Amino acid sequence: MSILTSLKYHFEQDREYISRQLWIGSDPLIFLGLRTLVNFPRSLTMVREQLHTVDDIDQPIQDRLSGLGHNVSNCTLDELISEILDGMLIAIHEPSGTYISIIPVAQLLNRSVTVPLTENVVRGSSSAFNEDIELNVGLLRKHINSSDLQITTYRFGEVSKNCVVLSYLNTKIDPTLLRSIIKAIETNLHLDVSNVQELSKVFGFSNFTLVTRYNTTELPQSAARALKNGKAVLFIERLPFALVLPSLVSDLFVTADDANHPHVFAAALSFIRIIGALITLIIPGLYVALVSVNPDVLRFELAHSIAKSRIDVPYPAIIETLLLLFVLELTLEAIVRLPPSIGPTITMVGGIVLGQAVVSAKLVSSLLIIVLAATTISSATVVGYQNALTIRLFKYVLLILSAIFGVLGLLFGIVIICSYLAGVKSLGVPYLQLKHPEGE
């Protein structure tokens, strides 16, 4: 069975597969491709024009054809199928047995560069990564115009081939870190990688970690800043963001935008983010500890005011706090899922009505509404959505310990969290390291 027949048999049930014959003089050429990836009319016109405008028109057709792409005559059937699935146009000259893979005029399947959707920019470039991995690499090169920028492409998977691009600055990245990343990638090329969880398996990250081992960003300037700080940036095909390895605790409080402010303002913004993270972690647990376990540490006037606000509330402080926190978590998730045109309005009105209703019904105290509103606002000051999730999870650890042991449990929980963070490493780099030193 010939290669051409084998390809036809393989794509027999695929309506996208197209085989077209084109005559150049007295020589027949057969072109193969997928209609959803290749613009056949424009591609065939391009090939015809290029074949007719070569310098030596007397050359054999197979020699002229070889100048349009790379020769795949000796490739296996699986390799030819992979070329077609990648969106290439296969030109076949049957009399000579020549197979050429040509870069065609592709179908427009990608959106253009747009503004970021999940990260706000105050001062800086407003362009954002999108699903086209080549466009993402181009945006990164525009921000780092240096010969030190190294770009390596890997193909993952055996059934569904998927591209992962690794980028780094070879003068900035730690050689040990780079070797760890490359070794993890090259030993797991057989795995399918189409999302972040599958890429985490490649690097051996635990499924039960409470701290993200990577950061995601859709801003080219943030990826460029990470590269200059000695980190590696990865792109996964069809994902509109970049992954930054390794993740450090400083990533929670510093953004690339800060470099466009004076040093005093940048430091003040980082300080506000740190205070916001501490409020999110500590305040709910501190409220429960002072109300239910250690009210004696408060001044009499303050303790009397809190007790007065909780008159007729039928639940202990831990129950009302967990109840309202669960409602707030539902609201935050609804903001993400609802359409942008109605989401903020519905959640804002629903939050106001619900908050007023639960206070009027004496299900929670009015002071708790204030505490949890401040907590929810503070959680948004942390840089990165995945980092905010980490803070929100740790908040519940401190809340439970505070309900059991009071202020002492709160302090004990803080020690546990600090000890846990001190033991977290990403590819051998400690999470609490403020900045990865060069050449370490």
Side-chain angles (χ1 to χ4, degrees):
M1 184 182 296
S2 66
I3 293 292
L4 188 59
T5 306
S6 300
L7 287 172
K8 183 178 180 181
Y9 177 76
H10 179 83
F11 290 102
E12 184 178 9
Q13 303 298 325
D14 197 336
R15 297 182 60 187
E16 300 176 15
Y17 178 73
I18 291 182
S19 175
R20 290 286 184 269
Q21 190 174 49
L22 181 69
W23 287 84
I24 304 296
S26 60
D27 293 293
L29 296 177
I30 298 175
F31 293 89
L32 311 176
L34 299 178
R35 76 170 77 224
T36 51
L37 301 179
V38 177
N39 188 324
F40 266 85
R42 296 182 60 186
S43 298
L44 295 183
T45 301
M46 177 195 70
V47 171
R48 184 192 293 272
E49 291 176 352
Q50 292 186 2
L51 288 176
H52 282 295
T53 55
V54 295
D55 295 333
D56 190 358
I57 199 68
D58 296 327
Q59 277 186 332
I61 186 65
Q62 60 268 27
D63 294 340
R64 285 185 279 160
L65 193 62
S66 298
L68 302 182
H70 63 277
N71 197 310
V72 291
S73 302
N74 297 323
C75 291
T76 63
L77 176 63
D78 290 338
E79 290 172 335
L80 287 175
I81 292 173
S82 179
E83 290 282 328
I84 294 175
L85 293 177
D86 286 340
M88 304 299 287
L89 182 67
I90 305 298
I92 302 175
H93 183 246
E94 280 196 296
S96 64
T98 302
Y99 290 68
I100 302 297
S101 180
I102 303 172
I103 299 177
V105 178
Q107 296 283 18
L108 297 178
L109 302 175
N110 299 312
R111 59 188 173 95
S112 59
V113 178
T114 59
V115 297
L117 300 177
T118 60
E119 297 179 71
N120 292 324
V121 179
V122 179
R123 288 186 176 180
S125 172
S126 59
S127 58
F129 295 130
N130 64 20
E131 293 82 6
D132 188 349
I133 196 169
E134 295 180 356
L135 183 58
N136 293 343
V137 173
L139 288 173
L140 184 62
R141 284 194 180 276
K142 278 193 172 183
H143 282 78
I144 299 185
N145 184 15
S146 171
S147 59
D148 294 331
L149 179 60
Q150 302 296 313
I151 306 291
T152 308
T153 302
Y154 297 94
R155 303 278 296 188
F156 278 88
E158 296 177 347
V159 177
S160 175
K161 300 290 185 180
N162 207 33
C163 284
V164 174
V165 172
L166 169 65
S167 59
Y168 57 91
L169 288 174
N170 55 10
T171 56
K172 297 291 186 179
I173 193 168
D174 175 24
T176 304
L177 173 63
L178 179 60
R179 284 194 297 269
S180 300
I181 294 175
I182 293 177
K183 181 180 178 182
I185 291 176
E186 292 182 346
T187 55
N188 292 283
L189 290 176
H190 62 282
L191 299 177
D192 289 328
V193 174
S194 58
N195 54 56
V196 177
Q197 286 188 4
E198 292 174 346
L199 188 64
S200 297
K201 293 180 182 178
V202 170
F203 292 109
F205 297 152
S206 173
N207 293 331
F208 302 101
T209 180
L210 297 179
V211 177
T212 178
R213 306 301 175 88
Y214 50 82
N215 286 314
T216 60
T217 180
E218 59 176 339
L219 302 178
Q221 60 266 33
S222 296
R225 172 182 171 272
L227 292 175
K228 293 175 183 177
N229 286 338
K231 299 182 180 181
V233 174
L234 290 93
F235 298 98
I236 304 177
E237 195 170 12
R238 293 181 295 278
L239 290 187
F241 53 82
L243 282 85
V244 179
L245 293 171
S247 175
L248 303 179
V249 68
S250 57
D251 297 328
L252 276 70
F253 314 115
V254 180
T255 68
D257 233 14
D258 294 343
N260 296 320
H261 297 287
H263 285 290
V264 176
F265 296 162
L269 291 174
S270 297
F271 178 74
I272 290 173
R273 295 179 190 124
I274 293 173
I275 296 300
L278 292 177
I279 289 175
T280 305
L281 276 174
I282 295 174
I283 294 301
L286 185 62
Y287 169 82
V288 172
L290 295 180
V291 167
S292 60
V293 182
N294 300 114
D296 51 300
V297 303
L298 297 172
R299 292 183 52 133
F300 174 77
E301 294 83 1
L302 182 57
H304 178 71
S305 176
I306 293 175
K308 189 176 179 181
S309 70
R310 298 195 72 252
I311 294 177
D312 297 331
V313 174
Y315 308 115
I318 180 62
I319 299 299
E320 64 168 343
T321 304
L322 287 175
L323 177 65
L324 207 55
L325 277 175
F326 180 70
V327 173
L328 288 173
E329 296 292 349
L330 292 178
T331 304
L332 292 174
E333 188 64 18
I335 292 174
V336 177
R337 304 299 166 204
L338 286 172
S341 57
I342 63 173
T345 303
I346 290 178
T347 52
M348 181 180 67
V349 173
I352 294 174
V353 172
L354 188 61
Q356 181 64 35
V358 294
V359 172
S360 300
K362 300 295 183 180
L363 296 178
V364 298
S365 68
S366 56
L367 178 61
L368 180 62
I369 297 290
I370 299 173
V371 168
L372 295 190
T375 300
T376 305
I377 294 172
S378 299
S379 66
T381 61
V382 177
V383 177
Y385 178 72
Q386 69 283 351
N387 292 325
L389 289 176
T390 297
I391 300 295
R392 284 159 61 182
L393 283 176
F394 283 145
K395 169 182 65 182
Y396 290 100
V397 176
L398 296 182
L399 184 64
I400 299 300
L401 290 174
S402 299
I404 300 174
F405 302 108
V407 176
L408 184 62
L410 178 66
L411 296 176
F412 182 60
I414 294 174
V415 172
I416 290 176
I417 291 174
C418 291
S419 302
Y420 174 76
L421 295 179
V424 173
K425 290 187 177 181
S426 299
L427 299 170
V429 180
Y431 181 72
L432 293 184
Q433 189 167 286
L434 294 180
K435 185 177 179 181
H436 191 61
E438 299 178 17
E440 181 181 327

